[in-house]
Amino acid sequence: MARGCLQGVKYLMFAFNLLFWLGGCGILGVGIWLAATQGNFATLSSSFPSLSAANLLIVTGAFVMAIGFVGCIGAIKENKCLLLTFFVALLLVFLLEACITILFFAYTDKIDRYAQRDLKKGLHLYGTPGNVGLTNAWSIIQTDFRCCGVSNYTDWFEVYNATRVPDSCCLEFSESCGLHAPGTWWKAPCYETVKMWLQENLLAVGVFGLCTALVQILGLTFAMTMYCQVVRADAYCA
């Protein structure tokens, strides 16, 4: 009876981790594709220059693949050590995500202030040698969201030490249009504009977060159930 239950859980555990591993492959693939095709689009942060979407996806994908691989092997081999390793690793990730979410909502105002200060600091790197990624990122953000600067278009005045903004701030793009009168520039602050866009899509973000948590809880349940079944089967055989 114990062996029959173990086989059922084993197949479920293997199927779950195979999907988990394939998901990691997909995330890693998207990250590599972004790095190869959108390499010039980097982070807007001057404090964390490596914190780009491509790098985050590559690291996340590799980590998910590693956890999924450990889970698959643990299920196939019915190895208690690997199953426990998978459970502990997934539990740590789940707790880390929960802590980050709680801290984010608890310190939203402080995070807002720090983010705006860091972004304004990053503006001074715009157009400088070795910062093509940051330059392109700001150009894309300002063009797509029809905004200018972090909190105001005047943020750029400190960068240029003149009444000037990048050409991507212009209502109608043209060469050196950033030297024209302020009436020809976008007035909306980029930070608040992007923040409002994220709030409008909060439902999608929430659904994604809940689905991610559900998958992790299922993984934890399968891993611990199979671990207990293996222990019982070993005790039964003994």
Side-chain angles (χ1 to χ4, degrees):
M1 180 68 179
R3 176 55 61 178
C5 291
L6 177 58
Q7 289 300 315
V9 177
K10 174 180 177 179
Y11 293 133
L12 283 174
M13 180 71 177
F14 176 76
F16 173 84
N17 281 286
L18 181 61
L19 292 174
F20 203 71
W21 183 81
L22 289 173
C25 290
I27 295 171
L28 179 63
V30 172
I32 293 173
W33 175 78
L34 279 177
T37 61
Q38 308 292 328
N40 288 334
F41 189 94
T43 178
L44 298 174
S45 172
S46 60
S47 301
F48 306 99
S50 297
L51 196 63
S52 65
N55 289 343
L56 284 175
L57 288 173
I58 289 172
V59 172
T60 302
F63 188 69
V64 170
M65 282 180 64
I67 293 180
F69 179 76
V70 169
C72 281
I73 300 301
I76 294 172
K77 299 293 185 181
E78 299 178 10
N79 187 291
K80 290 183 290 185
C81 182
L82 290 177
L83 289 171
L84 198 57
T85 299
F86 173 83
F87 178 85
V88 171
L90 199 56
L91 179 62
L92 288 175
V93 171
F94 182 79
L95 292 175
L96 180 63
E97 290 171 348
C99 288
I100 290 174
T101 302
I102 293 170
L103 289 173
F104 176 80
F105 285 108
Y107 296 98
T108 300
D109 292 338
K110 290 185 178 180
I111 293 171
D112 269 348
R113 289 195 295 271
Y114 174 80
Q116 290 187 59
R117 190 164 58 246
D118 188 56
L119 288 171
K120 287 181 180 179
K121 182 180 175 183
L123 292 182
H124 291 271
L125 300 177
Y126 184 89
T128 58
N131 289 291
V132 177
L134 183 142
T135 301
N136 288 348
W138 267 113
S139 296
I140 292 170
I141 292 293
Q142 293 183 144
T143 301
D144 290 354
F145 285 92
R146 299 182 176 183
C147 59
C148 190
V150 178
S151 57
N152 197 290
Y153 65 85
T154 56
D155 293 336
W156 290 107
F157 295 177
E158 297 178 13
V159 177
Y160 290 109
N161 290 318
T163 306
R164 179 187 177 185
V165 297
D167 293 343
S168 56
C169 280
C170 298
L171 297 174
E172 294 186 12
F173 179 84
S174 63
E175 192 68 30
S176 300
C177 61
L179 293 169
H180 298 167
T184 63
W185 308 331
W186 298 115
K187 298 298 189 299
C190 287
Y191 187 83
E192 289 301 324
T193 301
V194 174
K195 186 177 176 181
M196 286 177 60
W197 179 82
L198 289 173
Q199 289 173 345
E200 290 171 359
N201 292 274
L202 197 60
L203 179 61
V205 175
V207 169
F208 176 77
L210 287 174
C211 290
T212 301
L214 180 61
V215 168
Q216 291 173 339
I217 291 171
L218 284 174
L220 291 169
T221 303
F222 287 147
M224 185 49 65
T225 301
M226 185 170 181
Y227 176 82
C228 292
Q229 291 291 341
V230 170
V231 171
R232 288 176 185 171
D234 289 346
Y236 180 80
C237 291

